[in-house]
Amino acid sequence: MVHKLKIAAAGLGRMGKRHAVNFLHRTPRAELVAAFTPDEGEMAWAKANLEPYGVKLYSDYEEMLNYPGLQAVVIATVTKVHADETLSAIAKDLHVLCEKPISLSIEKSLEVVNAARAKPHLKVMCGFSRRFDSSYRDAHEKMEAGVIGRPAIFRSQTCDKHDPSGFFVQYAALNGGCFVDMSVHDIDLALWFFGEDSIIKSVAASGVAVVQPALREHNDYDNAVGIVEFWGGKIAYFYNSRMMAHGQEDTTEIIGTSGKLVVNGNPQANFVNIYSSAGITREVPPHYYGRFEYAFVTEANEFTAAALDGTKLPLRIGGALRAVEIGSYLQEALTTGKKLYFDETGQPIEKSKL
Amino acid sequence: MVHKLKIAAAGLGRMGKRHAVNFLHRTPRAELVAAFTPDEGEMAWAKANLEPYGVKLYSDYEEMLNYPGLQAVVIATVTKVHADETLSAIAKDLHVLCEKPISLSIEKSLEVVNAARAKPHLKVMCGFSRRFDSSYRDAHEKMEAGVIGRPAIFRSQTCDKHDPSGFFVQYAALNGGCFVDMSVHDIDLALWFFGEDSIIKSVAASGVAVVQPALREHNDYDNAVGIVEFWGGKIAYFYNSRMMAHGQEDTTEIIGTSGKLVVNGNPQANFVNIYSSAGITREVPPHYYGRFEYAFVTEANEFTAAALDGTKLPLRIGGALRAVEIGSYLQEALTTGKKLYFDETGQPIEKSKL
Amino acid sequence: MVHKLKIAAAGLGRMGKRHAVNFLHRTPRAELVAAFTPDEGEMAWAKANLEPYGVKLYSDYEEMLNYPGLQAVVIATVTKVHADETLSAIAKDLHVLCEKPISLSIEKSLEVVNAARAKPHLKVMCGFSRRFDSSYRDAHEKMEAGVIGRPAIFRSQTCDKHDPSGFFVQYAALNGGCFVDMSVHDIDLALWFFGEDSIIKSVAASGVAVVQPALREHNDYDNAVGIVEFWGGKIAYFYNSRMMAHGQEDTTEIIGTSGKLVVNGNPQANFVNIYSSAGITREVPPHYYGRFEYAFVTEANEFTAAALDGTKLPLRIGGALRAVEIGSYLQEALTTGKKLYFDETGQPIEKSKL
Amino acid sequence: MVHKLKIAAAGLGRMGKRHAVNFLHRTPRAELVAAFTPDEGEMAWAKANLEPYGVKLYSDYEEMLNYPGLQAVVIATVTKVHADETLSAIAKDLHVLCEKPISLSIEKSLEVVNAARAKPHLKVMCGFSRRFDSSYRDAHEKMEAGVIGRPAIFRSQTCDKHDPSGFFVQYAALNGGCFVDMSVHDIDLALWFFGEDSIIKSVAASGVAVVQPALREHNDYDNAVGIVEFWGGKIAYFYNSRMMAHGQEDTTEIIGTSGKLVVNGNPQANFVNIYSSAGITREVPPHYYGRFEYAFVTEANEFTAAALDGTKLPLRIGGALRAVEIGSYLQEALTTGKKLYFDETGQPIEKSKL
């Protein structure tokens, strides 16, 4: 009989539910044995949707980690507890798949990275789902195969459908700002396509708060543009927005010396086109899950395989930290209005020394 | 605990493997308990891929049907045994999901339909996967919602990537010809969009054997076009081909009095576009499974739900028979070169009586 | 100084105006010297738009032909006078560019063809504008260069935007029916891509009158589908419609043994896409002139060059006749409901002899 | 008879030839009466292509301005003489259409602007061809009609096909750098869509010299990205490149509070798609003229109408100056690596005062 990875799910909010269901129903080599949530509404959902499949439910995270034979945990709780929950799991010798970001604090993130490095037999991964998306992977393979020559320019955007409820304004205070919360995915992709060891040279950014002016109270914006220059002749530029009328539009261009790869240049919800007196129309997924659902399924399966077989994961916990770090520099450039400079080791150069 | 539908898989060829895996790993409310194949190579695959998950393997179909507590069977064996295997399963009071076609013989098909109708508590379904595809469903819902007015013209094609190995030539002798084997999907869609009770008025068809001239020995073609006129002012026209250079291209247009819906007018394998000195290129899925993979998963899940809960299926076994019947008329029109006519009850009109 | 072709325009209706303006302003080597119309409204337009540029106006066609030094005439009057006006012009030794069709009568058309052949120094052309369209030409060149192997299947449609005014119903009585009036362009393209000497083997068609039921009084339809089989393993199939909600959609596919060329698979009015809560929308040209404007300009220029330099035209008057002839067979198949058969010389086979 | 604008063409290089031919053959209300070139090769072309149509040729610019009855001149000589030739023409009371830029010197440009303002009866225009492109105009009208709400973010790129001959390296020394030479079109569009009176707040830019490293000797780059922030909550960001493998790709997005307009998001040379074993491919225009040919024709016609009728032009000479000025700031930000800041009147803020 197949040996399955015994995994527990922590946090059953929007994304937590999806992780739990993916490990329960769409990851053949994993067995979701336990789930934790401190929230009553989420617990009710778990009783209806997880318990009937034999999943044991907990309202205490640490208690859940004592589930007999538990091997791994997927963490999708609120950001502020990610790091401590990950540290607890590592301490119990569990593999960890943690939603991004590990922490908004670089120091705390480093603590997690170091704990993970101290136990190299454990798989500790921060979930950058686009790394598991088949289109991004196809583009990366094509680039590796030389289809576009040497990559030099990288454009990527994370653009959400406008949510008039103002949910994002509340969320803004907790999430580190638009470059850390949204563009971090694009930054991670830039590192993947340019090389994980790419070193930043300068960072500049500008933003506006157009449809959610209240974001300015939280020092945040609903549209922002940033440029990250890397040493060695590479430039990435980013756009994030929470103002799209049509739906989610996460588009990436990788431009090389002899060609270009575009991922999702023409968003579409499905294969239907509507021909009407308005013209020809196609619909667009309203949310990122409409675009990346199967990337999350692949993530669950590959994390499981890595934990069971010791195979390599497509990204290490340290890489996630670098993306958050660059996102924080962009955020600093955005909120101060200043351009930031870095030396050839990636260390910030004081303005007074320029 | 969830009660799962105990299901067995018959036939583990290309499509049989996929059905088995879908019921094993991607259908939460089903439990694949048994599988049958008379083929040694397929049995070896089953030992490696099914047995470790607790699936009992059989080299005898009837024996498998005696698996204790079995409730359903999915049949993906060779066409000529579909009908008898379905009849055996119905006799044992099992739900059946059978790959199309039930039979190349209308009489034999009718026998199955009648057996199924005699046991209305059983779900007996012929697998027309496109009925479960999210894009086709979206188009159908839009039509039902009045987006295109009254549908009047239906264009649909099933076009396979050219297989220079000549596999199709061998296959041709067994499969009933291009309209029965390929266009039957498009015909079924026409009935779905025009109404299951649409009555044919005339049928005409023309074909050529261009890349596989040997098909002519089997009275078949590798490219064929047909028109089906229905009573009440509706026309469907079809194209099937086994000659595509670029990949699978199954496209459908539903044209109404105030708009048009197009499904898969622009085939694409994924969201990547390649910009090179050749221009801008996107790749296309090489096979129908690249286009319809998730339709098969939905099919497995909805069949399971219908069997467990007694809910309605999107198509009945009788409907499948009608699609095959129209396909057979197109095939007759194709091979004889004659146009066929039908009265307002759908009965053929003898040419001498015209 | 450049010698310019002195040309006159006959008929100043919708298309006549465009021809006159094209020869006046967009054909450097031509000089529009005269124009004729029997219509008062058109004459008023001519006084405002042609006369100021030195164009002499006539209300009598024959009189205009006596304009001193006249070398050519472009005819865009009503269909029923096309043939006689062309014969008059040939008699006066003038080059002729005549709008299609020459005549709805095959006999009358033949008379024109013979008159033209008797004066081989004259350029007598029937305007099939798509032959001058840069996209169709690019596709033809690619086919000639072997990009798709040997062409075997040809799909082409002429689909007009629905005109609720019912203009087409009135027009229908005069125009020979939908295959002769609309699909004749697609048929001409089929002959161009398959070879002008392609010989028809069978013809079948079906039609419906959905949005203009009054067309049935004129024995015509607003949507029709037809198949033309050619000797030598080639099939063309056609769709015409006057029911499009979104605009003009003239699409052509040429399918060969190793590839496919599609012309205008994704109609668009311009390069703008609108992203809104409805999704992503592009507009479509409302009329054929929005799609083919520059083809008409090229036509005027190439006709002029051919008349001045004696160079070859892309199509001869006889070819136009063949397209109309095939259109008439499709029309016969449509209105009688019968499939028509032809021998290897293209002669109709009597049904009684089948 | 129509009164035509007597116009002369100065400079018959690549673009000069096109202007001359457009005014000669495609501008009904203009008469090209004279042309000037100091270049022997260009003069030979003019003798073959202009003289036969009655155009008088000159090898001296000032002499040409004395052509009897001359009313206007179109200037497409080398950049360094644009300003002086424009001043001479204004002094002779001629309307002027001058290719961009008027001058690389802001002072010299201002001199021209002031000369033009002193003679308000003259039309003096700097040619920003995209203002005359039907797609950009359609987008602008849609924005004005409120389709996207209030515009806030503007993305635009000018990307040329890679020219391995190195022509651009030579050209680079003369043209003011990539933001002035290329992005100036995008900047002009930003001013058009955001409002001509938009005031810059900050400017940042980064560039690389990837395929033409020799550009670094001229302090220039072959790929550059820049952000221009405007007072009042608007951001424009730009990308220019001379490295495209596939052809010209000039794309613009205008993003508003309730929608987005994209111009040329999917470049295409024509309406042909090629389906082959590589997938589905469309070709792209190799040069800007393939994309903007008809914009130049419209420009010639509207300039002529404005000169003859005194009607308003879509852009004034002063606006062109502003685009060049912003381009120069981007160029400064690019070459110094610094972010530049401006006060609410658009005046630069000294870094030391920040």
Side-chain angles (χ1 to χ4, degrees):
Chain A
M1 288 292 285
V2 160
H3 172 68
K4 295 193 177 188
L5 183 76
K6 285 191 198 310
I7 189 167
L12 298 172
R14 189 174 59 159
M15 200 55 229
K17 284 187 181 71
R18 289 166 179 162
H19 279 303
V21 168
N22 285 344
F23 278 102
L24 179 60
H25 292 317
R26 304 166 107 177
T27 310
R29 301 182 67 198
E31 184 184 358
L32 186 76
V33 293
F36 149 75
T37 174
D39 179 274
E40 279 189 28
E42 292 175 18
M43 184 58 84
W45 175 87
K47 279 186 200 292
N49 292 280
L50 304 182
E51 209 172 48
Y53 290 93
V55 180
K56 186 156 184 196
L57 305 181
Y58 294 85
S59 58
D60 184 283
Y61 175 73
E62 297 294 332
E63 199 182 322
M64 178 179 75
L65 296 191
N66 293 324
Y67 184 96
L70 189 68
Q71 296 171 280
V73 63
V74 53
I75 296 172
T77 43
V78 292
T79 296
K80 66 179 176 184
V81 298
H82 283 181
D84 285 337
E85 288 179 354
T86 300
L87 290 169
S88 290
I90 292 172
K92 300 233 175 199
D93 234 35
L94 301 175
H95 304 285
V96 183
L97 169 52
C98 181
E99 264 299 298
K100 65 95 195 161
I102 312 167
S103 170
L104 297 180
S105 145
I106 299 292
E107 292 70 30
K108 195 79 189 178
S109 302
L110 260 176
E111 193 183 334
V112 173
V113 171
N114 290 332
R117 284 182 179 154
K119 294 199 170 178
H121 61 287
L122 292 183
K123 300 293 172 183
V124 182
M125 184 169 90
C126 189
F128 278 99
S129 48
R130 294 183 202 179
R131 296 255 189 161
F132 299 90
D133 175 65
S134 59
S135 292
Y136 276 109
R137 287 183 165 192
D138 183 31
H140 199 272
E141 281 163 24
K142 286 185 163 61
M143 183 194 73
E144 292 282 309
V147 166
I148 60 165
R150 187 164 71 79
I153 304 289
F154 184 89
R155 176 174 84 86
S156 199
Q157 68 179 34
T158 295
C159 293
D160 287 358
K161 187 163 183 164
H162 177 44
D163 171 7
S165 75
F167 170 76
F168 274 115
V169 179
Q170 295 176 268
Y171 191 61
L174 307 169
N175 70 358
C178 58
F179 279 113
V180 172
D181 183 46
M182 301 179 72
S183 297
V184 71
H185 289 289
D186 306 288
I187 298 166
D188 178 61
L189 290 171
L191 292 171
W192 188 28
F193 280 86
F194 276 170
E196 309 285 351
D197 53 352
S198 300
I199 295 169
I200 51 172
K201 185 178 177 188
S202 74
V203 162
S206 293
V208 289
V210 181
V211 286
Q212 300 283 9
L215 279 166
R216 297 300 302 117
E217 296 164 25
H218 302 277
N219 209 15
D220 204 9
Y221 300 85
D222 51 23
N223 284 270
V225 178
I227 303 174
V228 176
E229 196 179 350
F230 292 94
W231 287 98
K234 286 173 183 163
I235 295 169
Y237 66 114
F238 305 107
Y239 171 46
N240 61 64
S241 176
R242 294 162 172 159
M243 189 176 77
M244 296 295 107
H246 56 288
Q248 185 78 12
E249 188 178 6
D250 299 343
T251 303
T252 300
E253 295 190 307
I254 311 104
I255 307 167
T257 48
S258 60
K260 177 167 99 162
L261 293 159
V262 179
V263 180
N264 200 33
N266 288 294
Q268 60 180 50
N270 59 23
F271 289 104
V272 176
N273 273 237
I274 308 145
Y275 291 55
S276 71
S277 58
I280 303 173
T281 301
R282 67 177 187 282
E283 294 173 340
V284 174
H287 299 301
Y288 74 98
Y289 206 67
R291 168 69 183 85
F292 292 113
E293 176 179 354
Y294 296 105
F296 285 100
V297 175
T298 301
E299 183 185 63
N301 279 276
E302 295 198 2
F303 172 75
T304 298
L308 287 170
D309 308 336
T311 49
K312 219 182 146 191
L313 284 169
L315 77 170
R316 301 306 310 256
I317 191 81
L321 183 55
R322 293 216 50 224
V324 174
E325 193 180 35
I326 295 174
S328 299
Y329 286 133
L330 277 162
Q331 202 71 25
E332 181 185 340
L334 176 65
T335 54
T336 64
K338 292 183 183 164
K339 185 168 179 177
L340 309 182
Y341 303 88
F342 304 84
D343 66 23
E344 299 202 23
T345 70
Q347 292 307 305
I349 302 173
E350 288 305 309
K351 193 186 163 190
S352 57
K353 296 186 187 159
L354 283 179
Chain B
M1 288 292 285
V2 159
H3 173 68
K4 294 191 178 189
L5 184 76
K6 286 189 196 308
I7 190 166
L12 298 171
R14 188 174 58 159
M15 199 56 229
K17 284 186 181 72
R18 288 166 179 164
H19 279 304
V21 167
N22 284 345
F23 277 102
L24 179 59
H25 292 316
R26 302 167 108 178
T27 310
R29 299 183 67 198
E31 184 184 0
L32 186 77
V33 293
F36 149 74
T37 175
D39 181 274
E40 278 189 27
E42 292 175 16
M43 185 57 85
W45 176 87
K47 279 186 200 292
N49 292 280
L50 303 182
E51 211 171 47
Y53 290 93
V55 180
K56 186 157 186 195
L57 304 181
Y58 294 85
S59 57
D60 184 281
Y61 176 73
E62 297 293 332
E63 199 181 320
M64 179 179 73
L65 296 191
N66 293 323
Y67 182 96
L70 190 68
Q71 296 171 279
V73 63
V74 53
I75 298 174
T77 44
V78 292
T79 296
K80 66 178 175 185
V81 298
H82 283 180
D84 285 337
E85 288 179 355
T86 301
L87 289 169
S88 291
I90 292 171
K92 300 235 176 199
D93 235 37
L94 301 174
H95 305 284
V96 183
L97 169 53
C98 181
E99 263 301 297
K100 64 95 198 163
I102 312 167
S103 169
L104 298 179
S105 146
I106 300 291
E107 292 71 28
K108 195 78 189 176
S109 302
L110 260 176
E111 195 182 331
V112 173
V113 171
N114 290 332
R117 284 181 178 156
K119 294 199 171 178
H121 60 288
L122 293 183
K123 300 293 172 184
V124 182
M125 184 170 89
C126 190
F128 279 98
S129 49
R130 294 183 202 178
R131 295 256 190 161
F132 299 90
D133 174 65
S134 59
S135 292
Y136 276 110
R137 287 184 165 191
D138 182 32
H140 198 271
E141 281 162 24
K142 285 185 163 61
M143 183 194 72
E144 292 282 309
V147 167
I148 60 165
R150 188 165 70 79
I153 304 288
F154 184 89
R155 176 174 85 85
S156 199
Q157 67 179 35
T158 295
C159 293
D160 287 357
K161 186 162 185 166
H162 176 42
D163 171 7
S165 76
F167 169 76
F168 274 114
V169 179
Q170 294 174 268
Y171 190 62
L174 307 170
N175 69 358
C178 58
F179 279 113
V180 173
D181 184 46
M182 301 178 73
S183 298
V184 72
H185 289 289
D186 305 289
I187 298 166
D188 178 62
L189 290 172
L191 292 170
W192 187 28
F193 281 86
F194 275 171
E196 309 284 350
D197 53 351
S198 302
I199 295 168
I200 52 172
K201 185 179 178 185
S202 74
V203 162
S206 292
V208 290
V210 181
V211 286
Q212 299 283 7
L215 279 166
R216 297 298 304 118
E217 297 165 24
H218 302 279
N219 210 16
D220 205 9
Y221 301 85
D222 52 21
N223 284 270
V225 178
I227 303 174
V228 176
E229 195 179 350
F230 293 94
W231 287 99
K234 287 173 182 165
I235 295 170
Y237 66 114
F238 304 109
Y239 171 47
N240 61 65
S241 175
R242 293 159 173 162
M243 189 175 77
M244 295 297 106
H246 55 287
Q248 184 79 13
E249 188 179 3
D250 299 344
T251 303
T252 299
E253 293 190 308
I254 309 104
I255 306 168
T257 48
S258 59
K260 179 166 97 160
L261 293 160
V262 178
V263 180
N264 200 33
N266 289 295
Q268 60 181 50
N270 59 22
F271 289 104
V272 177
N273 272 240
I274 309 145
Y275 291 55
S276 71
S277 58
I280 303 173
T281 300
R282 68 177 185 281
E283 296 174 339
V284 174
H287 299 301
Y288 74 98
Y289 206 67
R291 169 69 182 85
F292 291 113
E293 175 178 356
Y294 295 105
F296 285 100
V297 175
T298 302
E299 183 184 62
N301 279 277
E302 294 198 2
F303 172 76
T304 298
L308 288 171
D309 307 336
T311 50
K312 222 184 145 190
L313 284 169
L315 78 169
R316 301 305 310 254
I317 191 80
L321 183 55
R322 294 216 51 223
V324 174
E325 194 179 33
I326 295 174
S328 300
Y329 286 132
L330 277 162
Q331 202 72 25
E332 182 185 340
L334 176 65
T335 54
T336 65
K338 292 181 184 165
K339 185 169 180 176
L340 309 181
Y341 303 88
F342 304 84
D343 66 22
E344 300 201 22
T345 70
Q347 292 307 305
I349 302 171
E350 288 304 309
K351 192 186 162 188
S352 57
K353 295 187 187 156
L354 282 178
Chain C
M1 289 291 284
V2 160
H3 173 68
K4 295 193 176 186
L5 183 77
K6 285 188 196 313
I7 191 167
L12 297 172
R14 189 175 57 160
M15 199 57 228
K17 284 186 183 71
R18 288 165 179 164
H19 279 303
V21 168
N22 284 344
F23 277 103
L24 179 60
H25 292 317
R26 303 166 107 179
T27 311
R29 298 182 67 198
E31 184 184 359
L32 185 77
V33 294
F36 149 75
T37 175
D39 181 274
E40 278 189 27
E42 292 175 17
M43 184 57 84
W45 176 88
K47 278 185 200 294
N49 292 281
L50 304 182
E51 212 171 46
Y53 290 93
V55 180
K56 188 159 183 194
L57 305 181
Y58 294 85
S59 58
D60 184 282
Y61 176 73
E62 296 295 331
E63 199 181 322
M64 178 179 74
L65 297 191
N66 292 323
Y67 183 97
L70 189 69
Q71 295 172 280
V73 63
V74 53
I75 298 173
T77 43
V78 291
T79 297
K80 66 178 176 185
V81 298
H82 282 180
D84 286 336
E85 288 179 354
T86 301
L87 290 169
S88 291
I90 293 171
K92 299 234 175 199
D93 236 35
L94 301 175
H95 305 286
V96 183
L97 169 52
C98 183
E99 264 300 298
K100 65 95 194 159
I102 312 167
S103 169
L104 298 180
S105 146
I106 300 291
E107 292 70 30
K108 196 76 190 180
S109 302
L110 260 176
E111 195 183 331
V112 174
V113 171
N114 290 332
R117 283 181 179 156
K119 294 200 171 177
H121 61 287
L122 292 183
K123 299 295 173 184
V124 182
M125 184 170 91
C126 190
F128 279 100
S129 48
R130 294 184 202 179
R131 297 255 189 160
F132 299 89
D133 174 65
S134 59
S135 292
Y136 276 109
R137 288 184 164 191
D138 182 33
H140 198 271
E141 281 163 23
K142 285 185 163 61
M143 183 193 72
E144 292 282 309
V147 166
I148 60 165
R150 188 165 70 79
I153 304 288
F154 183 89
R155 175 174 84 85
S156 199
Q157 68 179 35
T158 295
C159 292
D160 287 357
K161 186 162 185 164
H162 177 43
D163 171 7
S165 76
F167 169 76
F168 274 115
V169 180
Q170 295 174 267
Y171 190 62
L174 307 169
N175 69 358
C178 58
F179 280 112
V180 172
D181 183 47
M182 299 178 72
S183 298
V184 71
H185 289 289
D186 305 289
I187 298 166
D188 178 63
L189 290 171
L191 292 170
W192 187 28
F193 281 87
F194 275 171
E196 309 285 351
D197 54 351
S198 301
I199 295 169
I200 52 172
K201 186 179 178 186
S202 74
V203 163
S206 292
V208 289
V210 182
V211 285
Q212 299 283 7
L215 280 166
R216 295 300 302 118
E217 296 165 24
H218 302 278
N219 210 16
D220 205 8
Y221 301 85
D222 51 22
N223 284 270
V225 178
I227 304 174
V228 176
E229 195 179 351
F230 293 94
W231 288 98
K234 287 172 182 165
I235 295 170
Y237 66 114
F238 304 108
Y239 171 47
N240 61 64
S241 175
R242 292 161 173 161
M243 190 175 77
M244 295 296 106
H246 54 288
Q248 184 78 13
E249 188 179 5
D250 299 344
T251 303
T252 300
E253 294 191 308
I254 310 104
I255 306 167
T257 48
S258 60
K260 179 166 99 160
L261 292 160
V262 178
V263 180
N264 200 34
N266 288 295
Q268 60 180 51
N270 59 22
F271 290 104
V272 177
N273 273 239
I274 309 144
Y275 291 55
S276 71
S277 58
I280 302 173
T281 300
R282 66 178 187 282
E283 295 173 340
V284 174
H287 299 300
Y288 74 99
Y289 206 67
R291 168 70 182 83
F292 291 114
E293 175 178 355
Y294 295 105
F296 286 99
V297 174
T298 302
E299 183 184 63
N301 279 275
E302 293 198 4
F303 172 76
T304 297
L308 288 171
D309 307 336
T311 48
K312 220 182 145 190
L313 284 169
L315 78 169
R316 300 306 309 257
I317 191 80
L321 182 55
R322 295 216 51 224
V324 173
E325 195 180 32
I326 295 174
S328 299
Y329 285 132
L330 277 162
Q331 202 71 25
E332 183 185 339
L334 177 64
T335 54
T336 64
K338 292 182 183 165
K339 185 169 180 178
L340 309 181
Y341 303 88
F342 304 84
D343 66 21
E344 300 203 21
T345 70
Q347 293 306 305
I349 301 171
E350 288 304 311
K351 192 185 161 189
S352 57
K353 296 188 186 154
L354 282 179
Chain D
M1 288 291 284
V2 160
H3 172 69
K4 295 192 177 187
L5 183 77
K6 286 191 197 311
I7 190 168
L12 297 172
R14 189 174 59 161
M15 199 55 228
K17 283 186 182 71
R18 288 167 178 162
H19 279 304
V21 167
N22 284 344
F23 278 102
L24 180 60
H25 293 317
R26 304 166 107 178
T27 311
R29 299 182 68 197
E31 184 184 359
L32 186 76
V33 294
F36 148 74
T37 175
D39 180 273
E40 279 189 29
E42 292 175 18
M43 185 57 85
W45 175 87
K47 278 185 200 293
N49 292 281
L50 304 182
E51 209 171 49
Y53 289 93
V55 180
K56 186 157 185 193
L57 306 180
Y58 294 85
S59 58
D60 184 281
Y61 175 74
E62 297 293 332
E63 200 182 321
M64 179 179 75
L65 296 191
N66 292 323
Y67 183 96
L70 189 68
Q71 297 171 280
V73 62
V74 53
I75 297 173
T77 43
V78 291
T79 296
K80 66 178 176 186
V81 298
H82 282 180
D84 286 337
E85 288 178 355
T86 300
L87 289 169
S88 290
I90 292 172
K92 299 232 175 202
D93 234 35
L94 302 175
H95 305 285
V96 184
L97 170 51
C98 181
E99 264 300 299
K100 63 97 200 163
I102 312 167
S103 170
L104 298 180
S105 145
I106 300 292
E107 292 70 29
K108 195 78 190 179
S109 302
L110 260 176
E111 193 182 332
V112 173
V113 170
N114 289 332
R117 284 182 178 155
K119 293 197 172 180
H121 61 287
L122 293 184
K123 299 293 172 182
V124 182
M125 184 170 91
C126 189
F128 279 98
S129 48
R130 293 183 202 179
R131 296 255 189 161
F132 299 90
D133 175 66
S134 58
S135 292
Y136 276 110
R137 286 183 166 193
D138 182 31
H140 198 272
E141 282 163 23
K142 285 185 163 63
M143 183 192 73
E144 292 282 310
V147 167
I148 60 166
R150 188 165 70 80
I153 305 287
F154 184 90
R155 177 175 83 86
S156 198
Q157 67 178 36
T158 295
C159 293
D160 287 356
K161 187 163 184 164
H162 176 43
D163 171 7
S165 76
F167 170 77
F168 274 115
V169 179
Q170 294 176 269
Y171 190 63
L174 308 169
N175 70 358
C178 57
F179 279 112
V180 172
D181 184 46
M182 300 179 74
S183 298
V184 71
H185 289 289
D186 305 288
I187 298 166
D188 178 62
L189 291 171
L191 292 171
W192 188 28
F193 281 86
F194 276 171
E196 309 285 352
D197 53 352
S198 301
I199 295 169
I200 52 173
K201 185 178 177 186
S202 73
V203 162
S206 292
V208 290
V210 180
V211 285
Q212 299 282 9
L215 280 167
R216 297 298 303 117
E217 296 164 25
H218 302 277
N219 209 15
D220 205 8
Y221 300 86
D222 51 22
N223 284 270
V225 177
I227 303 173
V228 176
E229 194 179 350
F230 293 93
W231 287 97
K234 288 173 181 165
I235 295 170
Y237 65 113
F238 304 108
Y239 171 46
N240 61 65
S241 175
R242 293 160 172 161
M243 189 175 78
M244 296 296 105
H246 55 288
Q248 185 78 13
E249 188 178 4
D250 299 343
T251 303
T252 300
E253 293 190 309
I254 310 102
I255 306 168
T257 47
S258 60
K260 178 167 98 160
L261 293 160
V262 179
V263 179
N264 200 34
N266 289 294
Q268 60 181 48
N270 59 23
F271 289 103
V272 176
N273 273 236
I274 308 145
Y275 291 55
S276 71
S277 58
I280 303 173
T281 300
R282 68 176 187 282
E283 295 173 340
V284 174
H287 298 300
Y288 74 98
Y289 206 66
R291 169 68 183 86
F292 292 112
E293 176 179 353
Y294 295 105
F296 285 100
V297 174
T298 301
E299 181 184 64
N301 279 275
E302 295 198 2
F303 172 75
T304 297
L308 288 171
D309 307 337
T311 49
K312 221 182 146 190
L313 284 169
L315 77 169
R316 300 307 309 256
I317 191 80
L321 182 55
R322 293 216 51 222
V324 174
E325 193 180 33
I326 295 174
S328 299
Y329 285 132
L330 278 161
Q331 202 71 24
E332 182 185 339
L334 177 65
T335 53
T336 64
K338 293 182 183 166
K339 185 167 179 178
L340 310 181
Y341 303 87
F342 303 84
D343 66 21
E344 298 202 24
T345 69
Q347 293 307 305
I349 302 173
E350 287 306 309
K351 192 187 161 188
S352 57
K353 297 187 186 157
L354 282 178

